[in-house]
Structure formats: C-alpha cells, structure tokens
Amino acid sequence: MGGPDPTLLEGEETGAPITPLTEIPRAMRERLANASPDLLREFKCLALNVYWEAKGEPLVGQMAVAAVTLNRLGNPRFPKSVCEVVWQGVESGRANCQFSWACDQRGDRPLEDIPWQRAQQVAYRAMFLDPFDPTNGALYFHAIYVRPQWADEKARIMRIGRHIFYGENPTLPSLINVANRS
C-alpha cells in the first residue's frame, strides 16, 4: 500500500524482463524520448493499468481499460492526473482501491515482455493518437467473476471480454456484448 514503487515510474527498469522502450515502434519511442518527465510518468501509469487490469484481454478490452482511466480525468469525482486516478484509494487500504492490482501487495513491475509491450502501445495510442473509447464514456468496470457492491448503483453499459463496464446513470440502456468471451 501507499502507491507505486518509485523506481517503477522513474524509468528504472533493471531487474525485470520487461520490454525497454527500444523494443517498441520507432515513432512511439522517439515521441516518448522527448516527453517531459511528468508526461512520461502519466504514460507509464496508464500502461501499468492496462497491463495489470487487461493484459489477457482482446485489444478492444485493453483500449476499454485505458478509456475508463482517461474518462475519469474529466469527471469531478476523480483526481486530475492519470497516476492519481490509477493510485486513488491506495493509502486507505484495499477496500478503497480503484484498481485491484494497485492494492494487491504484490510487485507492480510487469513480468511478461509481450503483454507489457502491448500495454505500452495501447497507452500510447490512447494518450497520443486515437482516444478511441469502446465503452461510450464508462467510468467503472469489474471482472465478470466478481460482483462489487457499487455495481447496482451504476448503469451497466456493456461487456467487453471478461469485464463489465458502467456509467453513472442507472437508467441508461443495459448490456451490449463486445468481444465477448466465455
């Protein structure tokens, strides 16, 4: 608890078999090499969230997790930076974490090379190229195998892969299945 490992967000990637930025597409690598430290930190927070919340999901599911994270930036109920959104509630304990991986008390450093590379590409696309939102503005999601208490108070928008996405208003139209896997 207490937030991310500081070395994780400072670019210190020694000791873990994750893809360095030299292994991702050149245009992406160049843009990130010229990014401010704050922007690079925001990018890494988004990539970590995509990795840990959706690394086994189809591409549209990973884009959906990125979209929910970014959608929260425009909502007054949430913090105003990607990293603050990702780590919101960590200081208060597991029950208040917005994203389960942030409070699972395991290491947060990505361990799988290909999924980490893909998560970085999804985060890059969401932040710099195409803010595609397959969730139609969702602010919340959960895995299909859990049923959080808050779910009945939100509008169920759709299912993408193994996640169900929600908005604020429970009177909105219900479930749409996208890339639904059993």
Side-chain angles (χ1 to χ4, degrees):
M1 285 189 280
D5 170 358
T7 63
L8 187 62
L9 298 177
E10 292 171 4
E12 307 245 345
E13 303 188 46
T14 57
I18 61 173
T19 304
L21 292 179
T22 56
E23 299 296 323
I24 58 178
R26 186 175 140 209
M28 181 176 155
R29 183 175 67 243
E30 289 173 358
R31 183 162 192 175
L32 292 173
N34 294 316
S36 71
D38 289 341
L39 186 58
L40 189 57
R41 180 179 166 84
E42 295 287 282
F43 164 77
K44 287 182 177 181
C45 285
L46 184 58
L48 284 168
N49 207 36
V50 170
Y51 177 84
W52 287 112
E53 290 291 337
K55 68 181 173 181
E57 293 295 306
L59 180 59
V60 69
Q62 293 184 2
M63 291 298 297
V65 167
V68 166
T69 308
L70 296 176
N71 289 346
R72 289 180 175 196
L73 295 177
N75 186 297
R77 295 180 185 208
F78 297 98
K80 298 301 177 206
S81 82
V82 174
C83 291
E84 289 173 347
V85 164
V86 168
W87 298 104
Q88 184 180 13
V90 170
E91 66 284 345
S92 303
R94 186 175 178 99
N96 295 314
C97 281
Q98 297 296 302
F99 300 102
S100 58
W101 69 271
C103 285
D104 65 8
Q105 298 183 346
R106 299 179 189 163
D108 297 332
R109 189 174 306 280
L111 302 175
E112 298 172 71
D113 194 51
I114 301 296
W116 174 236
Q117 184 176 1
R118 188 172 187 198
Q120 290 176 92
Q121 292 171 351
V122 167
Y124 181 82
R125 178 178 174 182
M127 285 183 70
F128 299 110
L129 299 179
D130 177 14
F132 170 63
D133 181 0
T135 72
N136 294 318
L139 294 171
Y140 310 93
F141 67 90
H142 65 79
I144 61 172
Y145 52 84
V146 297
R147 180 74 176 165
Q149 290 179 335
W150 55 260
D152 290 334
E153 301 168 9
K154 307 298 180 198
R156 187 172 176 171
I157 297 173
M158 67 180 56
R159 175 177 167 175
I160 301 176
R162 295 178 56 99
H163 289 103
I164 300 173
F165 293 84
Y166 297 83
E168 288 288 350
N169 185 348
T171 62
L172 291 174
S174 193
L175 190 65
I176 300 169
N177 289 304
V178 177
N180 189 8
R181 295 187 330 196
S182 298

